[in-house]
Amino acid sequence: YCRLVLVEMCLGKKIDWFKKKYPIVHSAVRFNYGSDVVTIPYLAGPEFFRKFGDANLDRVIPCNHYMTPLFPYNRGLFEVQAGLFSMVASRPLAKFSTAVARFAQLLPVPELSTVLNLVDPIYKGIEDLVATGDGALELGYQQTFTESGGGGSNELRAGYFAVILSDENEVITDKLCVVDDSLRLGFTGKSKIFIRDEKPLKGHSYMLFRLEKRAEQDWESLSLIKDLVYKAQDLVLDGQYEVVRKNLIPAIRVAIFRSPDIARCDRKPMILKIEETLEEYGLQASTSVRMSLYSIMQRELSKEYNLKEKELDQLSSLYSNGVN
């Protein structure tokens, strides 16, 4: 599971910020989501920069803004486009960009499928803003990451990457380091000395990003599946296991296989863990507290229950062409 974060940024002094122009950060991240390729736009408008006036130029702006939700990376390309734009200082444009930025903040949320209908109008609004506001790209970045094993240097992997506005050889990249989520300049030597002698990178506009990779989804954020599982547990605890087995378990299976928020490798184990939990509840009438979806996903499957995995292969094949 992956997530892209804008960690921090800095506005250099080469531009007359906040007087004739103000900054905005615009990005578009594309990746496979279910059976579709989606583009998630992001915008940090003048409201975000308001407390960082011209007196704070050349100082680091901590962000840690999530530009995408936590999503399963199953296959394909992961493309990042990001830009720092200068916009003509105008009150109407500032209000417009602030409104668009607030809508863009609705996108990096769990269960991305619930807000996909907002993507196109938000992206269009950002494009209109840049065109109407006489926006000039001051610092841009575009990269397409690929699956591992392709032989290139652009494999998708966890870590930091920075975009810096500078002339060639003006910044010695070998001296760059990240300390406590902040881009710094270090000095050659032993690792401890390198970090101890680090200092801020001054005189340049830059953006620092981090690509997170996690082994698990935020299970509690999957509201549709979570509600089905909770309902099934309540019925089992009420002595209605057969109703759950005939009606709710098939519904849970379909919901998991259809969900674009769950990685392919997690779908069958998730179903098996839920079904084993419900079966145990049916056998233990004394159980009175239902388990969270997170707790269910932390359990180990019994060897006997793993045999049921074969029963799911046929159902899995029905959805393999539609959701991967």
Side-chain angles (χ1 to χ4, degrees):
Y1 296 93
C2 299
R3 178 164 51 196
L4 186 63
V5 185
L6 174 61
V7 180
E8 71 170 13
M9 63 178 301
C10 181
L11 299 177
K13 295 182 178 180
K14 294 182 179 180
I15 299 175
D16 194 11
W17 294 116
F18 306 105
K19 294 179 181 178
K20 295 181 179 180
K21 295 186 176 182
Y22 62 78
I24 66 168
V25 172
H26 166 39
S27 70
V29 183
R30 296 179 180 87
F31 53 88
N32 286 283
Y33 182 68
S35 58
D36 301 314
V37 176
V38 297
T39 300
I40 305 301
Y42 170 87
L43 181 72
E47 186 176 87
F48 170 78
F49 294 99
R50 184 174 55 187
K51 57 183 176 180
F52 304 103
D54 53 2
N56 293 318
L57 289 179
D58 213 18
R59 293 187 182 181
V60 170
I61 302 173
C63 302
N64 278 311
H65 279 200
Y66 293 105
M67 304 171 69
T68 71
L70 194 63
F71 67 93
Y73 177 71
N74 290 315
R75 74 194 192 286
L77 304 177
F78 181 82
E79 183 180 354
V80 179
Q81 293 177 312
L84 170 64
F85 290 82
S86 58
M87 307 290 295
V88 174
S90 160
R91 183 169 296 180
L93 285 175
K95 289 183 178 180
F96 180 36
S97 58
T98 296
V100 175
R102 288 175 177 173
F103 278 110
Q105 292 173 6
L106 301 175
L107 297 179
V109 294
E111 291 191 308
L112 176 61
S113 56
T114 62
V115 293
L116 280 181
N117 61 322
L118 296 176
V119 169
D120 287 342
I122 291 174
Y123 194 84
K124 182 64 167 56
I126 294 175
E127 287 185 327
D128 291 344
L129 169 66
V130 174
T132 305
D134 193 20
L137 179 64
E138 305 296 341
L139 172 60
Y141 175 80
Q142 179 171 349
Q143 178 63 282
T144 300
F145 299 94
T146 64
E147 302 174 59
S148 60
S153 60
N154 60 331
E155 292 183 356
L156 187 66
R157 57 184 180 270
Y160 295 89
F161 57 95
V163 189
I164 304 171
L165 182 60
S166 70
D167 295 330
E168 188 175 4
N169 300 323
E170 191 175 0
V171 176
I172 302 176
T173 56
D174 289 344
K175 292 186 177 182
L176 292 173
C177 59
V178 176
V179 180
D180 295 331
D181 273 354
S182 182
L183 186 63
R184 316 286 283 186
L185 281 174
F187 298 90
T188 305
K190 296 180 180 179
S191 59
K192 291 184 179 179
I193 296 176
F194 185 93
I195 294 176
R196 186 191 66 192
D197 293 337
E198 47 81 19
K199 63 180 182 180
L201 174 65
K202 293 185 176 181
H204 301 279
S205 295
Y206 70 80
M207 295 179 288
L208 177 66
F209 300 91
R210 181 178 72 250
L211 180 67
E212 293 183 0
K213 290 182 71 176
R214 300 191 178 276
E216 291 192 342
Q217 177 61 279
D218 179 8
W219 305 117
E220 291 299 304
S221 71
L222 306 178
S223 57
L224 172 62
I225 297 170
K226 182 178 69 174
D227 290 346
L228 286 171
V229 172
Y230 284 177
K231 183 177 180 180
Q233 289 185 71
D234 290 341
L235 287 173
V236 171
L237 293 174
D238 195 38
Q240 301 184 58
Y241 176 72
E242 282 303 309
V243 174
V244 170
R245 186 180 64 81
K246 292 180 180 179
N247 300 316
L248 278 180
I249 286 180
I252 291 171
R253 288 182 174 187
V254 171
I256 291 173
F257 276 119
R258 282 182 172 175
S259 174
D261 298 295
I262 303 174
R264 285 180 300 185
C265 60
D266 279 335
R267 292 173 188 165
K268 287 194 289 185
M270 186 177 192
I271 291 172
L272 292 171
K273 290 178 181 182
I274 291 171
E275 291 187 15
E276 185 173 24
T277 300
L278 294 174
E279 186 173 307
E280 289 178 358
Y281 272 36
L283 296 174
Q284 300 172 7
S286 60
T287 304
S288 59
V289 179
R290 66 185 183 187
M291 294 179 65
S292 67
L293 190 55
Y294 170 82
S295 298
I296 292 174
M297 289 301 293
Q298 306 313 304
R299 65 177 297 160
E300 294 290 335
L301 284 169
S302 64
K303 293 181 180 180
E304 293 77 9
Y305 219 84
N306 268 320
L307 296 176
K308 291 190 176 184
E309 186 175 358
K310 295 181 180 179
E311 300 177 11
L312 299 176
D313 288 339
Q314 184 176 5
L315 182 60
S316 175
S317 65
L318 294 176
Y319 295 96
S320 61
N321 293 327
V323 179
N324 275 311

